[in-house]
Amino acid sequence: MWEEKNNSLYRKFEFRNFSEAFAFMTRVALEAEKMDHHPLWTNVYNRVEIWLSTHDAGDIVTEKDRKLSKKIDALT
């Protein structure tokens, strides 16, 4: 579930292994590129953490972030 905090949408995803986590990141990257909206994220082994905010709107959460978060949810 996405949490709104510190002017961003945040969610942590956990997978069975690194390969699954990396495959997920690849799918997210393709969707983000289509939207020209790129997340701040980290990956450690099977864990991916994502923060979404709209930089050109002053680093706040906008409808663009909510739309991307829904697309990301559909990829899990």
Side-chain angles (χ1 to χ4, degrees):
M1 173 149 278
W2 291 92
E3 299 174 53
E4 188 168 341
K5 59 183 183 180
N6 299 324
N7 292 322
S8 66
L9 289 179
Y10 167 80
R11 184 164 178 196
K12 180 167 81 172
F13 299 85
E14 290 194 32
F15 300 90
R16 287 187 300 186
N17 54 46
F18 176 74
S19 293
E20 285 187 10
F22 197 86
F24 168 74
M25 291 178 73
T26 301
R27 293 189 303 272
V28 170
L30 294 171
E31 288 300 320
E33 186 65 16
K34 286 180 197 173
M35 292 181 64
D36 193 30
H37 191 49
H38 306 96
L40 169 64
W41 57 9
T42 62
N43 166 240
V44 177
Y45 182 58
N46 69 329
R47 188 177 65 239
V48 176
E49 293 181 81
I50 301 176
W51 294 264
L52 300 174
S53 65
T54 303
H55 306 295
D56 58 357
D59 291 320
I60 61 170
V61 176
T62 67
E63 188 56 36
K64 197 171 188 179
D65 303 299
R66 296 184 195 293
K67 184 176 179 183
L68 183 54
S69 72
K70 288 179 181 160
K71 288 180 179 275
I72 291 170
D73 285 344
L75 297 173
T76 57

